[in-house]
Amino acid sequence: MDVGFSSLRSEAVGAMRMALVSAENLQLTLKPEPSQEEQALTNSKSSIKETHKAGNEDLKEMLESNKESLKLEAMKRVVGLISKGKNASELFPAVVKNVASKNIELKKLVYVYLVRYAEEQQDLALLSISTFQRALKDPNQFIRGSALRVLSSIRVPIIVPIMMLAIKEAAADLSPYVRKTSAHAIQKLYSLDPDQKEQLIEVIEKLLKDKSTLVAGSVVMSFEEVCPDRIDLIHKNYRKLCNLLVDVEEWGQVVIISMLTRYARTQFTSPWKEGATFDENNDKAFYDSDSEEKKDQAEAKPYIMDPDHRLLLRNTKPLLQSRNTAVVMCVAQLYWHLAPTQEVNIVTKSLVRLLRSHREVQYIVLQNIATMSIQRKGMFEPYMKSFYVRSTDATHIKTLKLEILTNLANEANISTILREFQTYVKSQDKAFAAATIQAIGRCATNITDVTDTCLSGLVLLLSNRDETVVAESVVVIKKLLQTQPTQHSEIIKHMAKLFDNITVSMARASILWLMGEYCDRVPKIAPDVLRKMAKTFTAEEDIVKLQTVNLAAKLYLTNSKQTKLLTQYILNLGKYDQSYDIRDRTRFIRQLIVPNEKSGALNKYARRILLAPKPAPVLESSFKDRDRFQLGTLSHSLNTKAAGYQELSDWPAVAPDQSVRNVEVIEPVQEWAPSVGKTKKSGKPKSADKFYSDDEEEKEEEGSESSKDSSSSSSSSEESGSESEEESSEESEKTSSDSGKSSSGSEKSSSESESEPKKKKKTKKAPQKKSKPPAAFSDSDENGNGPVAQASSSSAESSSGSETDSEDSDPPATPQKKKKDVKSKPKAEVKSKVEVSLLDLVDFSPAPTNAPKSSVISSSLLSDLEGLSLSNISSTIQVTTPSFGPVKTYELLHHMTGKGLSAKYHFPRQPCLYEPSMVAVQVILTNSSDHSLEEIHIGERSPAGLNIHCFNTI
Amino acid sequence: MIHSLFLINHAGDIFLEKHWKSVISRSVCDYFFEAKEKAVEPENVPPVLQTPHHYLISIYRDKLFFLSVVQTEVPPLFVIEFLHRVADTIQDYFGDCSESLINDNVVTVYELLEEMLDNGFPLATESNVLKEMIRPPTILRSVVNTLTGTTVFAEIQGVIEASVRLTGMPDLSMTFMNPSLLDDVSFHPCVRFKRWESERALSFIPPDGNFTLMNYHVSSQNLVTIPVYVKQNICFFETGPCGRLDITIGPKQTMGKTVEALMVTIHMPKAVLSANLTATQGNYTYDLATKVLVWDIGKLNPQKLPNLRGSLSLQSGAPKPEDNPSLNIDLKIQQVAISGLKVSRLEMNGEKYKPFKGVKYLTKAGNFQVRT
């Protein structure tokens, strides 16, 4: 596709040159006007300009000179100025004159300039508009495209109507490139004038139907920007988008996948089993909102995934192999949010692969893995070694890897992880070493087996030479001790000894807090520490002072004999502290613990207040709450809701109507039916019962009619093929209100039509008319099921999930190209259609001819031929036309070499009567010799893998 | 999507700006500079930053920051991937991605940026497509048709880089002798997924020029053979401000090929003031500012093993460094892919002429670290 695209672009360059020639004429007409205005403007400005630096002045002269090379040189310098962020707006009049220059390079640079400054010089910018308007009508697609691109980039509100018109026209353009450009222009216009929303949505709706891979990504992008909430626009295009996905360019894939993720969450039911640990919240919410009854129902009923849901998962899976990291991440998040629990694992490998990409990519991917690994350890555990930290990693990468390793830790691997952590603690990157100690603390609380090991390891770290390491260890030990305060007085004593050497305030404060909290376990040491603190109180940091006051208060309550004076001294120091926080706290503590007349009641509870058992802090991942955001989004990365973030909705309790996604197929049928009704069958009965009974009666007599009727009836009888089943339901919806009845009735009719006349007439009819039924018929043995499925698969290559081989269906594919010739001679072909349908009727259930095929064409033509009522009819006919083409005959044996016997063969493209998988070959033997030939038969040696149905010896 | 792009050099000067929507003042970069100050090392600047009205997503490459401004929710990887593509494209066009080169070719760069994004949405990012529209300054059109495979990152990952100069629409298919080695792969968009899944063959219509056809990962069950061994001894004495260093490198598993471009990089602890060493082969440099010791050995001679020894002097009074620095080793081995991956054949369909085909294997040490 890339190559194709590139060749198109190269054409564009050539075509540009052509366009410029034509644009030259335009310039002649334009010139008088702008130059007058420009002169006026430049005159008025000249006074100001003189004060400016001379550089711009000579640029202006160069631009106004007659020499192309000078102009080009000037424009290059101007673009240089723009790129440096310098102001070059005063050159606008001089530059805009060159908008219709025939020099392509110059013109490009003028475009660059125009797009940059048009907003500031709106009046002058208008002068260039007509150039673009003219180019929009150019026969060359790339000139139309680039004209629209620049036109829509000029942010001048006054041209909104012109842009609107141009977009609408371009959206119906025959060239996918131009349609792509129009999809981009939609966003630009929307940001320029949001009032145009309604009209733009119409254009988006139209473009969403587009089948080109080039357009898909861009139009979904504008959908996301303009009307992300109009999910109803997606229904009809859902299957098409899924099927196109692999071939869309990579950036478009990202946009489409994230949109489809959101879509799927609104349309399908949860594939996550009840009771699964994964995302319990969702399930709960699901049941809370439901009645008890429903819950029972849901539990009893096994979950069956919607085929469309499956389609999405299946079609995105290959993209995990994309080289574009954004695409891989996007698929990964799609699986995370949409796939059944057991299938999510397939993304692991690809995500780990992304870790070998650039640093910034690693950063984002690691963030996402961190969130995932909290909920699903198993996913990443086999790849644990990929998260080992390298000394060359950036700090933020290191901390993320650490986070993930901690999340992955369990009883089995904790020893390996702790060993790894030991090396990290020694790292020269102290911030990282501190983070490692925190991580060890988390492991210790999460896995009770290793708590003691971790604790002793951390205590060892207390004698580390590095201050930050020691401080961090103290803080973590404090938290650990809190979780299990029993029998750790040894450690507290050890820390008290270290107290003098620790200078980091957080660590000092932590030790003081520990002393106070567990002062009953270290009754001798605690007052001593307080004594030391009293000495250095004034020199301490605020946080240490606060904890000193705390310690003093607690000791006063438990051991007032020894510490009463010390406490009072400290409270006095605190009373006159510079920090109001400390003065405040001191005042509070004094009132609380020291009994006096005023503080009656509270005083009694002082002990209970200060020495109440405190809940242990929970050491948990900072990524704990990130799963509220969709993975891979900016919001997830920042952990705050970014502007324009679209919430991922919860699964619906009951799946919305699935058939909304079928609409694509039914639409053309609806168009088609009335037109036929008018022309041929005015008094067509409306009710289903009648309709079908009618059908049965009329069938034998009125070929064309009944074929049409039974086409719908037979298609409604389909049961297995997913696509055809849906078709049938629509069809029956269309023709009758009661689909159940109709399908039962139709089944009869179709089976009848098949069984009776089939064998008898087949042999006769086929040669009688040279026309061949569409190739789809070869599959018809399967109770009429084949043709429908096949036709639909060929019709909407994208929309059907059926696996039917569409190779045979070349005829239905060709009409797109030939449709124009067909229109010119519709009459002749109406006849042929009748014939074909007669044939259909006799041989098979006639389903394939009409409904599905008309849908093929009309959906593909929709954008181009809308409003042409004939097109639908002719398209039906179109399908059959190839069969009337001359049969290509191949010579097998020339009569000279065959001594009078010549053999020719051709492929009649008829269904083989013996087996659907066989191909019929018609061999014509002509005997031009005098001898008569006998015993003609097929030789024994048939090549392997070839199955020949032998005919009897003639 | 992407609103604006600023290119910022190492010193923090904005030397190019491009806006795809209305202009955003360059003062928005101040938030970035703030973060850059805080991060000290340029690698440590967080790739995603939040400012009151915008989001800044940046990459740091070749000593340049590519800083993009976005206003609404967008997958950050989308932007990051795109910025890397911009850097790749500049490199592809001018041979390198540096400030001076960009300044020399500012008009071309600007036009490229214009072409790569439309209204902030990527339009054309394939280098061959871009080259059709904007000529690179010097057109190197090689007459030879080559397909070159290079294996980068000895340990587990590899890349197949293709250089294709074939006219027309050649349909190539490439098969491997041992595709089962490949554990995980990612492809250039031109490769057909289906064929890979069914036949383990790479089938594609290549774009013209140089591109990365495929990235792969070799499953870790096949034990990676490490081509060299390292004997090292670095110690710092408890008494006195000095230490010793002694490193020897020898070949281990090189499959009969010479190890080339061997280089050892050591990030020394902050306290190390200078190094007084002698190398039996190659040269060493010690950068006082960054504390990085680089020993460039070159070819590894198995008969006479390269050795680097001598003393390190430490800042007096500073405590002995806590841990020993780790060694990073770079090397290259020509004509062998250490993963054992072999290209079996490359076929061309769809065109009549006979192409020239060639495969070059290369092993490089990616991140070969020796912990001490």
Side-chain angles (χ1 to χ4, degrees):
Chain A
M1 206 214 91
D2 274 335
V3 177
F5 189 57
S6 80
S7 68
L8 287 178
R9 296 307 288 246
S10 72
E11 237 176 74
V13 176
M16 263 301 215
R17 238 166 251 140
M18 273 171 48
L20 294 171
V21 179
S22 65
E24 202 186 4
N25 306 332
L26 175 74
Q27 194 193 15
L28 291 175
T29 56
L30 249 177
K31 232 183 175 166
E33 245 189 314
S35 55
Q36 278 174 357
E37 277 210 54
E38 275 158 22
Q39 272 170 1
L41 259 155
T42 41
N43 289 340
S44 68
K45 272 199 175 172
S46 58
S47 54
I48 314 162
K49 260 196 176 173
E50 275 156 22
T51 55
H52 276 264
K53 55 190 165 181
N56 286 357
E57 195 58 55
D58 54 75
L59 276 179
K60 212 183 103 201
E61 271 167 30
M62 284 164 84
L63 283 168
E64 280 167 357
S65 78
N66 291 323
K67 278 189 188 161
E68 242 6 25
S69 58
L70 272 180
K71 286 183 179 179
L72 194 61
E73 182 54 33
M75 273 319 291
K76 280 186 174 169
R77 280 172 56 190
V78 171
V79 170
L81 286 178
I82 295 175
S83 72
K84 291 273 177 292
K86 297 195 175 104
N87 186 16
S89 60
E90 61 196 22
L91 292 167
F92 201 96
V95 173
V96 82
K97 262 196 275 183
N98 293 310
V99 70
S101 162
K102 58 186 162 181
N103 182 326
I104 182 153
E105 253 182 273
L106 180 61
K107 191 169 168 126
K108 264 191 189 170
L109 296 176
V110 173
Y111 282 1
V112 167
Y113 183 92
L114 206 56
V115 170
R116 169 68 180 76
Y117 284 114
E119 211 171 0
E120 296 170 25
Q121 307 263 345
Q122 306 212 347
D123 294 342
L124 283 174
L126 291 179
L127 298 174
S128 63
I129 302 298
S130 53
T131 318
F132 299 117
Q133 275 183 299
R134 171 97 168 222
L136 283 172
K137 301 265 193 298
D138 197 278
N140 184 300
Q141 50 171 341
F142 293 102
I143 294 174
R144 294 198 298 276
S146 69
L148 180 60
R149 208 179 134 193
V150 181
L151 177 69
S152 55
S153 299
I154 296 175
R155 289 170 291 271
V156 178
I158 206 164
I159 63 162
V160 163
I162 298 176
M163 275 165 78
M164 194 69 216
L165 206 68
I167 289 171
K168 277 184 175 166
E169 254 166 47
D173 202 288
L174 282 173
S175 149
Y177 175 74
V178 178
R179 297 201 297 271
K180 183 187 176 75
T181 320
S182 82
H184 284 260
I186 290 171
Q187 304 161 43
K188 298 184 212 168
L189 180 54
Y190 180 66
S191 64
L192 184 66
D193 182 8
D195 293 343
Q196 303 293 321
K197 189 172 175 180
E198 287 313 312
Q199 286 194 63
L200 287 173
I201 290 176
E202 277 169 33
V203 184
I204 289 173
E205 194 174 358
K206 193 168 177 183
L207 281 173
L208 275 172
K209 288 182 188 142
D210 205 298
K211 284 227 167 90
S212 165
T213 51
L214 213 53
V215 184
S218 303
V219 67
V220 172
M221 187 62 231
S222 24
F223 170 82
E224 291 281 77
E225 287 217 346
V226 180
C227 51
D229 46 335
R230 287 290 303 276
I231 214 108
D232 56 298
L233 296 180
I234 302 301
H235 292 320
K236 299 166 224 159
N237 304 294
Y238 173 81
R239 287 182 197 144
K240 184 197 73 195
L241 285 173
C242 284
N243 284 308
L244 284 183
L245 201 52
V246 181
D247 297 320
V248 173
E249 34 86 42
E250 38 195 355
W251 309 107
Q253 285 171 347
V254 176
V255 179
I256 296 176
I257 294 172
S258 20
M259 187 274 289
L260 288 179
T261 310
R262 230 158 23 83
Y263 176 85
R265 279 294 275 261
T266 61
Q267 298 300 317
F268 307 126
T269 50
S270 169
W272 302 326
K273 285 188 196 110
E274 294 97 60
T277 46
F278 178 55
D279 217 333
E280 279 173 331
N281 299 337
N282 252 351
D283 277 348
K284 259 180 213 158
F286 170 74
Y287 289 122
D288 287 346
S289 60
D290 261 331
S291 66
E292 205 59 35
E293 233 177 294
K294 269 213 171 141
K295 181 179 176 177
D296 293 337
Q297 268 180 9
E299 267 171 1
K301 197 174 63 182
Y303 169 74
I304 297 163
M305 188 182 272
D306 188 308
D308 287 329
H309 191 173
R310 176 50 69 200
L311 178 73
L312 178 61
L313 292 175
R314 194 175 56 221
N315 284 358
T316 47
K317 192 179 164 193
L319 296 179
L320 283 172
Q321 248 76 57
S322 171
R323 66 158 174 182
N324 189 319
T325 57
V327 175
V328 178
M329 187 65 234
C330 214
V331 177
Q333 68 84 21
L334 179 127
Y335 264 78
W336 179 256
H337 291 294
L338 298 180
T341 330
Q342 64 275 15
E343 283 173 46
V344 181
N345 287 343
I346 65 160
V347 306
T348 315
K349 207 188 259 179
S350 304
L351 284 179
V352 172
R353 182 182 68 230
L354 298 189
L355 295 182
R356 293 173 218 119
S357 189
H358 297 286
R359 180 179 48 247
E360 298 83 9
V361 175
Q362 289 181 36
Y363 175 71
I364 304 292
V365 174
L366 285 170
Q367 281 187 327
N368 285 291
I369 292 180
T371 306
M372 290 166 135
S373 61
I374 292 174
Q375 288 182 16
R376 305 275 304 272
K377 279 186 190 185
M379 251 176 101
F380 294 98
E381 217 194 308
Y383 296 90
M384 200 174 78
K385 291 217 163 99
S386 306
F387 303 109
Y388 279 7
V389 173
R390 303 201 189 95
S391 65
T392 41
D393 286 336
T395 307
H396 51 254
I397 302 279
K398 287 180 185 165
T399 30
L400 281 169
K401 283 185 171 175
L402 200 62
E403 174 73 38
I404 294 167
L405 283 175
T406 318
N407 289 342
L408 294 181
N410 59 21
E411 279 82 359
N413 60 24
I414 183 68
S415 56
T416 333
I417 289 183
L418 281 180
R419 214 172 309 131
E420 188 67 17
F421 282 179
Q422 268 169 5
T423 46
Y424 299 166
V425 171
K426 290 185 206 148
S427 163
Q428 290 175 35
D429 184 343
K430 290 307 164 201
F432 170 60
T436 307
I437 294 167
Q438 289 281 358
I440 294 175
R442 262 181 61 202
C443 289
T445 44
N446 293 344
I447 300 158
T448 44
D449 290 5
V450 292
T451 313
D452 289 336
T453 331
C454 289
L455 205 51
S456 53
L458 288 170
V459 171
L460 278 181
L461 285 179
L462 290 177
S463 40
N464 194 297
R465 200 170 315 166
D466 190 85
E467 199 165 72
T468 40
V469 172
V470 176
E472 203 65 32
S473 309
V474 169
V475 175
V476 174
I477 289 174
K478 183 206 116 187
K479 287 180 184 166
L480 281 182
L481 289 183
Q482 248 183 299
T483 55
Q484 25 180 263
T486 50
Q487 25 116 21
H488 284 308
S489 54
E490 279 308 309
I491 295 173
I492 299 175
K493 275 179 201 158
H494 183 75
M495 285 164 81
K497 276 180 207 153
L498 286 171
F499 188 72
D500 291 341
N501 300 325
I502 294 173
T503 51
V504 177
S505 51
M506 189 60 206
R508 285 176 79 85
S510 293
I511 295 181
L512 289 175
W513 185 88
L514 273 177
M515 292 289 157
E517 192 64 22
Y518 306 112
C519 53
D520 50 332
R521 304 230 177 86
V522 282
K524 285 185 185 158
I525 295 172
D528 197 46
V529 172
L530 186 67
R531 182 183 58 80
K532 281 184 189 161
M533 283 315 296
K535 246 199 299 197
T536 56
F537 186 85
T538 45
E540 297 289 349
E541 295 265 343
D542 282 2
I543 185 170
V544 184
K545 286 178 182 169
L546 285 176
Q547 289 308 327
T548 311
V549 174
N550 252 351
L551 174 66
K554 284 172 184 169
L555 284 177
Y556 181 86
L557 291 174
T558 52
N559 187 3
S560 60
K561 206 187 280 175
Q562 271 185 303
T563 56
K564 190 172 180 183
L565 286 172
L566 268 177
T567 308
Q568 254 154 19
Y569 175 64
I570 285 168
L571 289 178
N572 279 335
L573 285 177
K575 193 175 173 184
Y576 300 107
D577 199 90
Q578 281 185 324
S579 161
Y580 59 80
D581 226 14
I582 291 162
R583 292 197 301 272
D584 213 36
R585 176 74 64 90
T586 315
R587 206 171 300 133
F588 165 69
I589 293 284
R590 189 191 290 276
Q591 293 300 320
L592 189 64
I593 58 170
V594 185
N596 56 21
E597 315 84 59
K598 284 178 199 166
S599 63
L602 208 56
N603 200 341
K604 283 180 217 157
Y605 302 105
R607 211 188 165 84
R608 274 161 78 180
I609 290 169
L610 281 175
L611 292 171
K614 294 166 187 71
V618 186
L619 296 174
E620 62 182 10
S621 167
S622 53
F623 283 82
K624 189 92 189 156
D625 56 345
R626 289 236 182 153
D627 56 339
R628 65 200 155 111
F629 296 112
Q630 186 175 355
L631 290 187
T633 58
L634 184 62
S635 306
H636 175 268
S637 199
L638 292 167
N639 201 16
T640 49
K641 198 168 168 174
Y645 174 75
Q646 298 279 327
E647 289 279 351
L648 207 57
S649 69
D650 278 344
W651 296 103
V654 179
D657 187 13
Q658 296 181 9
S659 61
V660 285
R661 283 183 291 280
N662 305 331
V663 174
E664 189 192 18
V665 190
I666 193 172
E667 228 177 44
V669 178
Q670 274 171 331
E671 279 174 4
W672 174 76
S675 71
V676 174
K678 262 183 234 160
T679 50
K680 289 184 190 165
K681 200 179 176 185
S682 48
K684 187 174 168 181
K686 287 277 148 67
S687 96
D689 278 15
K690 242 189 171 179
F691 177 85
Y692 286 111
S693 57
D694 231 20
D695 177 28
E696 267 171 302
E697 288 163 18
E698 282 173 4
K699 208 188 309 167
E700 253 72 4
E701 302 137 37
E702 287 181 49
S704 67
E705 257 174 58
S706 57
S707 82
K708 173 175 40 89
D709 293 347
S710 54
S711 88
S712 55
S713 68
S714 76
S715 65
S716 58
S717 74
E718 304 308 338
E719 276 144 10
S720 53
S722 64
E723 179 63 18
S724 46
E725 188 184 24
E726 284 140 15
E727 263 170 45
S728 72
S729 63
E730 294 146 28
E731 200 124 3
S732 48
E733 270 170 31
K734 176 200 63 154
T735 49
S736 69
S737 53
D738 188 350
S739 64
K741 275 185 207 167
S742 71
S743 72
S744 65
S746 66
E747 217 157 356
K748 261 184 243 160
S749 74
S750 69
S751 60
E752 259 175 79
S753 67
E754 253 172 66
S755 54
E756 296 169 40
K758 189 176 176 182
K759 289 217 167 160
K760 274 181 268 165
K761 291 193 180 174
K762 189 169 201 166
T763 41
K764 285 179 212 161
K765 284 253 172 170
Q768 185 185 340
K769 301 203 194 290
K770 278 184 186 166
S771 71
K772 281 141 274 157
F777 279 53
S778 55
D779 283 359
S780 61
D781 281 24
E782 304 154 13
N783 195 18
N785 195 346
V788 178
Q790 193 161 27
S792 64
S793 78
S794 66
S795 68
E797 306 115 338
S798 48
S799 72
S800 83
S802 69
E803 304 282 293
T804 330
D805 201 8
S806 59
E807 273 164 35
D808 307 38
S809 51
D810 285 347
T814 44
Q816 298 190 13
K817 288 171 208 157
K818 289 192 186 169
K819 68 210 168 199
K820 291 214 166 143
D821 332 5
V822 182
K823 258 186 283 167
S824 59
K825 38 175 183 176
K827 274 201 176 173
E829 273 154 7
V830 169
K831 271 185 214 160
S832 66
K833 178 189 157 206
V834 175
E835 287 168 355
V836 173
S837 33
L838 252 174
L839 187 67
D840 295 346
L841 165 76
V842 175
D843 288 355
F844 316 100
S845 91
T849 39
N850 297 326
K853 264 166 209 156
S854 67
S855 78
V856 179
I857 287 104
S858 41
S859 58
S860 71
L861 295 184
L862 257 178
S863 53
D864 303 318
L865 299 177
E866 226 175 27
L868 284 175
S869 60
L870 249 183
S871 67
N872 287 313
I873 297 173
S874 60
S875 63
T876 352
I877 296 146
Q878 178 54 40
V879 175
T880 62
T881 43
S883 60
F884 291 94
V887 175
K888 193 166 185 192
T889 315
Y890 302 85
E891 192 153 35
L892 193 63
L893 184 67
H894 194 260
H895 67 91
M896 290 301 277
T897 43
K899 291 178 184 164
L901 173 70
S902 70
K904 287 178 177 173
Y905 70 95
H906 69 266
F907 296 97
R909 311 231 181 256
Q910 279 173 8
C912 184
L913 33 148
Y914 301 106
E915 227 178 281
S917 60
M918 280 186 147
V919 179
V921 184
Q922 188 170 7
V923 185
I924 302 163
L925 300 172
T926 320
N927 189 2
S928 54
S929 70
D930 312 333
H931 315 283
S932 59
L933 291 168
E934 286 171 350
E935 282 192 35
I936 301 168
H937 63 94
I938 287 183
E940 284 306 309
R941 48 196 173 97
S942 63
L946 194 67
N947 202 358
I948 300 176
H949 186 92
C950 298
F951 50 83
N952 295 333
T953 308
I954 303 159
Chain B
M1 293 236 136
I2 299 167
H3 210 297
S4 300
L5 174 72
F6 295 95
L7 296 192
I8 299 166
N9 67 13
H10 200 59
D13 303 319
I14 302 168
F15 64 94
L16 191 137
E17 61 178 74
K18 169 90 186 97
H19 309 274
W20 283 275
K21 299 182 183 182
S22 45
V23 180
I24 290 178
S25 158
R26 54 166 71 189
S27 64
V28 74
C29 297
D30 292 348
Y31 295 100
F32 174 77
F33 294 135
E34 220 171 84
K36 184 169 166 270
E37 282 295 303
K38 222 162 85 187
V40 188
E41 298 284 323
E43 286 89 358
N44 285 349
V45 181
V48 184
L49 290 169
Q50 189 177 13
T51 76
H53 301 289
H54 304 93
Y55 305 97
L56 306 178
I57 300 180
S58 62
I59 65 163
Y60 179 67
R61 217 173 118 168
D62 302 319
K63 302 213 164 118
L64 297 178
F65 287 102
F66 290 72
L67 174 73
S68 66
V69 184
V70 296
Q71 271 187 316
T72 51
E73 171 67 51
V74 56
L77 268 188
F78 185 99
V79 182
I80 288 169
E81 179 80 29
F82 175 78
L83 293 177
H84 277 296
R85 286 293 165 83
V86 172
D88 287 341
T89 310
I90 291 174
Q91 206 159 20
D92 189 37
Y93 262 70
F94 312 117
D96 195 11
C97 185
S98 71
E99 185 187 357
S100 59
L101 269 173
I102 293 173
N103 275 332
D104 291 349
N105 299 288
V106 67
V107 176
T108 316
V109 172
Y110 209 79
E111 281 182 304
L112 275 175
L113 292 174
E114 181 79 35
E115 217 42 71
M116 289 178 88
L117 280 187
D118 183 14
N119 195 35
F121 188 77
L123 198 62
T125 48
E126 265 327 292
S127 121
N128 62 318
V129 177
L130 286 168
K131 278 183 182 163
E132 298 283 352
M133 294 183 283
I134 299 154
R135 287 272 178 83
T138 50
I139 306 159
L140 295 165
R141 286 278 168 198
S142 150
V143 202
V144 251
N145 311 310
T146 48
L147 187 94
T148 332
T150 326
T151 313
V152 185
F153 288 93
E155 216 180 346
I156 26 176
Q157 336 164 33
V159 183
I160 296 182
E161 277 169 358
S163 167
V164 180
R165 317 255 183 239
L166 302 170
T167 49
M169 295 278 280
D171 194 335
L172 302 179
S173 55
M174 183 166 148
T175 48
F176 298 102
M177 307 274 258
N178 37 10
S180 57
L181 274 177
L182 302 175
D183 178 39
D184 183 33
V185 287
S186 70
F187 300 118
H188 190 272
C190 70
V191 178
R192 300 181 181 109
F193 290 122
K194 288 256 163 67
R195 271 289 291 281
W196 173 258
E197 270 173 17
S198 57
E199 298 166 44
R200 298 272 135 182
L202 293 178
S203 161
F204 56 98
I205 296 177
D208 211 23
N210 297 327
F211 62 96
T212 303
L213 180 66
M214 167 179 162
N215 282 283
Y216 61 86
H217 175 237
V218 175
S219 56
S220 38
Q221 283 94 10
N222 317 343
L223 274 178
V224 180
T225 48
I226 295 170
V228 294
Y229 69 86
V230 181
K231 271 196 262 177
Q232 50 78 30
N233 179 22
I234 305 173
C235 57
F236 300 102
F237 301 118
E238 204 67 58
T239 54
C242 61
R244 278 185 51 80
L245 179 141
D246 188 341
I247 302 171
T248 310
I249 296 188
K252 203 163 147 196
Q253 285 262 333
T254 59
M255 304 183 197
K257 305 284 196 262
T258 7
V259 179
E260 291 172 19
L262 193 61
M263 192 153 81
V264 181
T265 314
I266 310 171
H267 289 261
M268 286 295 183
K270 293 244 158 31
V272 177
L273 272 188
S274 67
N276 185 16
L277 309 165
T278 44
T280 58
Q281 191 187 340
N283 309 312
Y284 78 91
T285 49
Y286 182 63
D287 189 328
L288 293 175
T290 54
K291 309 280 180 199
V292 175
L293 177 73
V294 179
W295 178 28
D296 191 349
I297 303 168
K299 267 193 185 144
L300 179 66
N301 182 0
Q303 269 77 47
K304 197 166 154 277
L305 301 179
N307 170 275
L308 178 75
R309 72 172 78 195
S311 60
L312 306 167
S313 61
L314 278 77
Q315 208 174 346
S316 56
K320 169 179 155 329
E322 194 60 34
D323 57 332
N324 285 336
S326 57
L327 279 61
N328 291 299
I329 294 166
D330 276 319
L331 56 84
K332 258 188 203 174
I333 307 172
Q334 297 282 1
Q335 293 163 350
V336 63
I338 209 144
S339 60
L341 186 77
K342 284 235 162 64
V343 174
S344 145
R345 60 196 308 172
L346 177 71
E347 284 165 4
M348 184 174 82
N349 299 314
E351 291 293 328
K352 295 257 158 50
Y353 55 87
K354 204 161 178 278
F356 171 87
K357 300 185 259 188
V359 182
K360 196 171 123 199
Y361 297 102
L362 176 70
T363 296
K364 264 197 207 165
N367 212 322
F368 183 177
Q369 241 179 52
V370 182
R371 285 181 183 163
T372 56

